[in-house]
Amino acid sequence: FYSEEEDHPWPANLNAEGMVSLDPLDGSSKVDTDGGVATIGTIYRKGNDNNLIGKTGADIIAVFYILYGSSVKLVFAHKDLEDVYEFQLNTNAVFRMTGRMRKMPLESKIGLRLAIGGGRDEMIPKGVEPLITVLEKEDRGKAAYSGSMMVDIQGIIALNDVDADGGIYIYPGTLDRPKGRLRLDSELHPLAFI
């Protein structure tokens, strides 16, 4: 068991066939503002060792994220399933399926949702900001960054909203973080898998 919040793994069952990488609280810097946060989990095939280093997207068995906000949603994808499924927690504390997606849409009906982390005036490379500005000026996109990657991704893929399809999520390098901020095992791998 690997947590994005820890600097070492937590062995749970050394005989298990898989290993879990977790970002327990994506968007944790926004908790005090009551903004949406999420938990992101990736289950990897273990192989011959208990090491997460060197794992690729081909080693993923399943991915899930749970959104906590005005409602609680669970999004799940498995290597043997063609679709990505969305479930919402109802008042009886039962998750009910509310959405399903086979592939990302090629066009957006209402314009791209532009989720840009890191501060627009501090972006590296400098070519990113002009692109975002052009999309906004041409009414082809609207900036909407929540501070939680999976909350923003949910707005982009919008599994149960046919009018809110498509967008761009980027977190380019900034002056403070020239290499960006996204982590391969707990954020980029699960996002690419979905």
Side-chain angles (χ1 to χ4, degrees):
F1 177 85
Y2 289 82
S3 170
E4 183 260 337
E5 303 291 336
E6 300 289 340
D7 57 2
H8 61 281
W10 291 86
N13 178 355
L14 297 178
N15 297 319
E17 294 180 20
M19 48 207 279
V20 176
S21 173
L22 197 68
D23 182 348
L25 200 55
D26 176 52
S28 58
S29 64
K30 305 296 181 195
V31 168
D32 59 343
T33 64
D34 234 4
V37 294
T39 296
I40 310 167
T42 308
I43 303 168
Y44 291 91
R45 186 174 35 255
K46 185 165 73 169
N48 295 328
D49 61 15
N50 290 316
N51 198 342
L52 192 58
I53 295 173
K55 295 294 181 197
T56 69
D59 297 311
I60 295 175
I61 297 169
V63 169
F64 68 89
Y65 62 89
I66 302 169
L67 300 171
Y68 312 100
S70 59
S71 65
V72 177
K73 293 186 178 188
L74 166 74
V75 175
F76 177 79
H78 188 279
K79 69 180 182 73
D80 294 334
L81 301 174
E82 289 186 17
D83 297 345
V84 176
Y85 295 90
E86 176 189 83
F87 302 87
Q88 185 164 332
L89 192 64
N90 68 19
T91 55
N92 296 322
V94 174
F95 279 101
R96 299 279 186 207
M97 190 170 83
T98 55
R100 186 169 117 176
M101 180 182 66
R102 177 146 301 163
K103 63 180 181 176
M104 289 291 289
L106 297 176
E107 283 187 29
S108 174
K109 295 175 182 70
I110 62 170
L112 296 172
R113 179 183 173 113
L114 307 172
I116 304 130
R120 292 173 68 161
D121 52 345
E122 297 182 3
M123 285 186 202
I124 305 169
K126 294 296 180 192
V128 175
E129 171 57 28
L131 169 65
I132 300 305
T133 301
V134 166
L135 289 171
E136 288 178 324
K137 283 184 180 176
E138 293 179 0
D139 254 357
R140 292 171 42 206
K142 180 176 175 162
Y145 175 67
S146 73
S148 167
M149 180 180 83
M150 296 320 288
V151 169
D152 290 330
I153 294 304
Q154 182 70 13
I156 289 169
I157 64 175
L159 289 166
N160 61 354
D161 183 352
V162 295
D163 291 327
D165 52 359
I168 299 170
Y169 181 89
I170 58 174
Y171 203 121
T174 63
L175 297 176
D176 287 353
R177 295 175 191 247
K179 294 183 178 183
R181 185 175 176 174
L182 301 177
R183 294 154 198 90
L184 184 63
D185 62 348
S186 61
E187 293 170 327
L188 295 174
H189 272 170
L191 175 57
F193 188 83
I194 287 173

